[in-house]
Amino acid sequence: MSKIGIFYGTSGGNTKDIARRIGAKLNVNDADIRDVASVKKSDLQAYDVLLFGSSTWGLGDLQDDWEGFIREVASADLSGKKVALFGCGDSSSYSDTFCNAIGTIYRTVKDKATVIGFTDTEGYTFDDSEAVVDGRFVGLPIDEDNESDRTGTRIDLWVAQLEKELTS
């Protein structure tokens, strides 16, 4: 299997936890699960597959550490790489900007790499999201605040999907 790197930004800890859970399912070494607050653009080159995770803050904003790192990603050479996105959001309090951060990251990488891991919106309750393109989420949205009981199943299904997409 391809070498996978997981890069996340976290403020409250949920996105870090989700990154580690996904990493465990994909057998990614802990050293390859990295906080974007302490990485450089050149760190991306060590991987064939990049998983980018961010929580959404305020009215649809990227997590603080991603604010700076997104510029690094925008200027990185991602040709030949596959990218999958995951994010945490609050579908109840911020129903009109649910998981917008992964939509922001998607717009940055969609023309630079092959994006995989799109997720159906069925089963999610929200009003709007910049992370929905052509009727599907551009990655895996997680709502630990209101739907933590669904997180394990959502991760399992998404990881199984990624494994298929990585081998096809």
Side-chain angles (χ1 to χ4, degrees), residues 23-38:
K25 297 279 183 186
L26 289 170
N27 296 313
V28 175
N29 291 327
D30 285 345
D32 296 316
I33 303 172
R34 315 218 14 220
D35 188 330
V36 299
S38 61

Side-chain angles (χ1 to χ4, degrees), residues 98-160:
F98 179 58
C99 287
N100 271 9
I102 60 174
T104 301
I105 298 169
Y106 171 76
R107 286 190 306 278
T108 301
V109 302
K110 69 182 177 87
D111 296 325
K112 301 173 69 59
T114 301
V115 180
I116 61 173
F118 285 69
T119 305
D120 289 330
T121 58
E122 188 175 324
Y124 288 89
T125 303
F126 66 101
D127 291 320
D128 196 20
S129 176
E130 291 179 10
V132 175
V133 174
D134 296 329
R136 299 177 74 202
F137 284 108
V138 296
L140 174 66
I142 296 290
D143 184 348
E144 282 292 88
D145 296 324
N146 304 293
E147 299 178 345
S148 60
D149 59 317
R150 298 180 182 183
T151 298
T153 300
R154 287 176 173 164
I155 289 173
D156 289 345
L157 291 171
W158 192 65
V159 166

Side-chain angles (χ1 to χ4, degrees), residues 6-11 15 34-39 44 50-57 61-74 78 83-87 101-102 104-106 108-109:
I6 301 176
F7 295 83
Y8 67 88
T10 194
S11 295
T15 309
R34 315 218 14 220
D35 188 330
V36 299
S38 61
V39 297
L44 301 176
L50 303 167
L51 274 60
F52 291 143
S54 177
S55 50
T56 299
W57 288 88
D61 300 324
L62 281 170
Q63 186 271 341
D64 288 343
D65 298 318
W66 264 102
E67 287 291 339
F69 191 62
I70 196 78
R71 289 186 290 279
E72 296 287 310
V73 171
L78 302 179
V83 173
L85 309 171
F86 64 96
I102 60 174
T104 301
I105 298 169
Y106 171 76
T108 301
V109 302

